[in-house]
Amino acid sequence: MTTPYVIGIGNAVMDVIAPASDASLDRLGIEKGIMQLIDRERSEYLMAAQSADPEASRARLVPGGSVANTLAGLGMLGLRTAFIGRVAGDPLGLSYAEQTEQQGTVFVNPPVAGEVLPTSRSIIFVTPDGERSMNTYLGISAELDAEDVNPAVFSGAEWLFLEGYLFDKDAGKAAFLKAAEACHKAGGQAGIALSDPFCVDRHRADFRRLVAGPMDYVIGNIHEWQSLYQVEDLEEALRLASADCGTVICTCSGEDAILIRGGERVTAPVHRVVPVDATGAGDQFAAGLIYGLAIGADLAVAGRMGCIAAAEVIGHVGARPESDLRAAFRAEGLT
């Protein structure tokens, strides 16, 4: 059996993660628990404020980005992975590309040299209750376009995973469509994470066309599915989603995840844990889920793998697994 090959496309963002109090968020004008897109000036201000905070001595600098985190999890699970993203040829970008390669994921495109926007960064404040408040300056990563997608890279690729955040620019949409076409020509399946209800609000019509068109599987949470179909009733949203897309996955925070594929509907139980840091929970749910689907596991088993991976990552600071997920899967009799 050949090792499954997964390609991801997303924002290449260096994460700067540090603890913070609710009072600090209020003082800095940060809305708790969501991802906010900020400009370069705001990012420099928050970086300076974080550095001045005594708690920030425990800050961590980690290559991130939603899809990049998922690929890191998949790589730790033993799958072959490649990441299509854009960084500048500045120290942050060079470090991002180098660390990504060191961790086993092929960084497909070289850093862009010359006078360009700087490498992206996400300044993440983690409060004691585990909520993460993400302040993301997209920089050069948001400039990714169809020219960054080389169809030759997709030879042998069984899975493609896309990041909804890149829908903020038309160039990213074109890149997604080109990648999905290349993946399908290679015999693979293409999927996307809806990423954020605000992102869905901004690009609802385009998301609807993507979900009903080239996407074979779509992952979203309750709020994202409700936003996509503009209904308050989750069951109605999932009914509409299932009519559009072959495989629909809905995460429900601390409640069981719902997975629908064709006429099959299952739930994946969530074992509640006290979060240390919720950063990356959705990213690693996707990693566990895609891993299960890629190795041919039943839908319910794949969903449970996603829940286990999400539970692992919220048990520590950082968006990537720190323990052996395959051992955790075996302990539950999933493999």
Side-chain angles (χ1 to χ4, degrees):
M1 178 180 175
T2 59
T3 303
Y5 175 28
V6 183
I7 295 176
I9 301 180
N11 285 304
V13 183
M14 191 67 87
D15 287 343
V16 183
I17 309 169
S21 64
D22 287 328
S24 294
L25 298 188
D26 290 339
R27 185 174 66 254
L28 294 171
I30 295 170
E31 187 173 351
K32 182 176 177 179
I34 67 168
M35 194 286 291
Q36 295 220 62
L37 296 176
I38 59 175
D39 61 22
R40 186 174 182 175
E41 182 179 2
R42 174 69 170 166
S43 78
E44 291 171 354
Y45 169 75
L46 292 179
M47 289 283 285
Q50 194 178 64
S51 297
D53 191 325
E55 288 187 302
S57 61
R58 292 183 282 145
R60 299 177 64 190
L61 193 65
V62 182
S66 181
V67 163
N69 290 334
T70 298
L71 292 174
L74 286 165
M76 293 176 70
L77 285 164
L79 303 194
R80 293 186 297 138
T81 57
F83 179 53
I84 297 173
R86 185 182 284 196
V87 297
D90 54 23
L92 202 60
L94 294 172
S95 176
Y96 189 102
E98 180 181 7
Q99 289 189 59
T100 299
E101 291 271 350
Q102 288 175 346
Q103 293 170 12
T105 293
V106 175
F107 194 83
V108 174
N109 298 322
V112 182
E115 293 296 322
V116 294
L117 290 174
T119 296
S120 310
R121 76 291 308 265
S122 185
I123 308 153
I124 303 172
F125 297 85
V126 184
T127 45
D129 58 2
E131 283 285 353
R132 85 276 198 205
S133 304
M134 303 169 66
N135 302 269
T136 303
Y137 168 59
L138 293 177
I140 195 171
S141 69
E143 302 300 311
L144 186 139
D145 60 28
E147 293 301 312
D148 293 303
V149 178
N150 180 357
V153 173
F154 289 80
S155 178
E158 293 100 335
W159 297 87
L160 170 66
F161 189 47
L162 306 171
E163 179 178 315
Y165 289 131
L166 269 178
F167 251 53
D168 275 303
K169 291 198 174 181
D170 289 341
K173 299 170 190 175
F176 281 7
L177 293 174
K178 184 177 179 180
E181 181 181 9
C183 179
H184 287 147
K185 284 184 177 179
Q189 296 193 54
I192 191 170
L194 296 178
S195 294
D196 186 277
F198 299 106
C199 188
V200 174
D201 287 341
R202 289 192 296 270
H203 306 287
R204 182 175 292 107
D206 285 329
F207 270 122
R208 287 285 299 271
R209 283 191 288 270
L210 197 67
V211 170
M215 292 299 99
D216 301 294
Y217 66 99
V218 181
I219 303 172
N221 64 28
I222 293 173
H223 306 297
E224 290 155 3
W225 286 118
Q226 290 172 328
S227 173
L228 185 64
Y229 291 99
Q230 294 181 284
V231 295
E232 293 186 7
D233 179 43
L234 176 61
E235 287 302 318
E236 177 62 9
L238 294 180
R239 184 189 69 79
L240 293 168
S242 300
D244 282 345
C245 183
T247 301
V248 171
I249 298 96
C250 180
T251 58
C252 307
S253 297
E255 303 301 321
D256 295 353
I258 301 167
L259 301 94
I260 305 169
R261 182 169 58 189
E264 179 185 12
R265 175 172 172 150
V266 299
T267 57
V270 172
H271 297 165
R272 287 182 175 273
V273 297
V274 177
V276 173
D277 172 14
T279 307
D283 305 338
Q284 296 313 320
F285 174 86
L289 173 82
I290 294 170
Y291 173 79
L293 296 176
I295 65 171
D298 292 341
L299 191 60
V301 170
R304 181 66 190 129
M305 287 176 170
C307 293
I308 291 171
E312 191 279 343
V313 81
I314 67 173
H316 56 77
V317 176
R320 300 182 176 186
E322 293 184 351
S323 63
D324 187 343
L325 289 176
R326 284 182 292 183
F329 297 162
R330 288 194 296 271
E332 291 217 8
L334 300 179
T335 58

